[in-house]
Amino acid sequence: MEFTFVSGNLGLDLAGTVGRRRTGRVDLLATPADLARWTVAAGLLDTEPAVSDEDLARTAALREAVYRLASAARSGSPFEAADRELLNRAAGRAPAGVRLRDDGGLERTGDLGAALATTARAAVELLGGPRAALIRECEASPCTRLYVDSSHRRSRRWCDMRGCGNRAKAAAFRARDRRDGQGAPASGRTTG
């Protein structure tokens, strides 16, 4: 699996680096190199930072804290103090640096701590603001990704229409097609 950024918030995208949390857990940040690649793919840094096994473990702890806090916000439960403190500590570090280059391009610099501070700040702003009420979990099985439902009617069901949404709609179509195929052919259908 490759990294996707469809959650509408960097903190939720970090939490989304674990897929299928309830069945056959898939960890996209299994190695320090994976985490270094994620920081660039997420647009946090322009070059991969140095990442140790200890950094990876700290990031995994932050990722799980964000997931639990977002899940609590979604269900209206109180935040666990330890998770809140871990997130606040990460958000309190200096964020990744940005500057406008002579050619008009954007340059993003910093180490892993700066990248995670930027990510943690995004999570804090989401969880501490009105958009926390818009956190949803993807309805496609076995996906467990959390996302911000910014759809007009607040009726988004899937984390990503191209992935989970497309698979869910295709499965529903196949189920209807099988149902229609039993007994008489569906109207407009030819057999042959």
Side-chain angles (χ1 to χ4, degrees):
M1 296 178 76
E2 200 51 43
F3 304 127
T4 57
F5 301 91
V6 295
S7 297
N9 179 273
L10 271 172
L12 295 184
D13 284 329
L14 176 62
T17 61
V18 170
R20 302 177 184 162
R21 286 178 176 270
R22 290 184 281 281
T23 59
R25 185 179 170 102
V26 176
D27 189 346
L28 299 179
L29 302 181
T31 69
D34 294 337
L35 176 54
R37 281 187 319 105
W38 184 84
T39 64
V40 174
L44 293 162
L45 302 173
D46 290 341
T47 58
E48 293 181 5
V51 179
S52 68
D53 288 332
E54 188 176 307
D55 293 331
L56 182 62
R58 277 197 301 272
T59 301
L62 174 62
R63 173 180 66 187
E64 296 309 306
V66 169
Y67 183 80
R68 287 188 297 268
L69 290 165
S71 294
R74 195 170 86 77
S75 69
S77 302
F79 294 147
E80 290 293 325
D83 289 337
R84 192 174 38 79
E85 289 168 16
L86 193 153
L87 179 61
N88 285 336
R89 200 169 38 255
R93 293 199 52 186
V98 294
R99 76 178 193 88
L100 189 60
R101 295 187 316 243
D102 292 341
D103 65 2
L106 177 65
E107 183 177 331
R108 297 173 197 91
T109 61
D111 61 5
L112 177 64
L116 294 178
T118 302
T119 304
R121 285 173 183 225
V124 167
E125 289 176 7
L126 172 64
L127 296 168
R131 290 174 30 108
L134 303 177
I135 297 173
R136 308 280 188 269
E137 182 178 286
C138 184
E139 291 182 20
S141 180
C143 187
T144 56
R145 181 182 284 272
L146 299 176
Y147 63 90
V148 178
D149 181 2
S150 55
S151 67
H152 179 69
R153 294 185 184 195
R154 306 296 185 248
S155 58
R156 183 172 155 193
R157 298 175 55 200
W158 303 291
C159 64
D160 181 29
M161 192 55 221
R162 291 180 312 265
C164 288
N166 190 41
R167 282 189 295 275
K169 286 185 172 198
F173 175 80
R174 285 190 301 274
R176 281 191 307 276
D177 198 41
R178 278 192 301 271
R179 232 181 6 259
D180 290 347
Q182 295 174 357
S187 87
R189 222 185 221 194
T190 60
T191 58

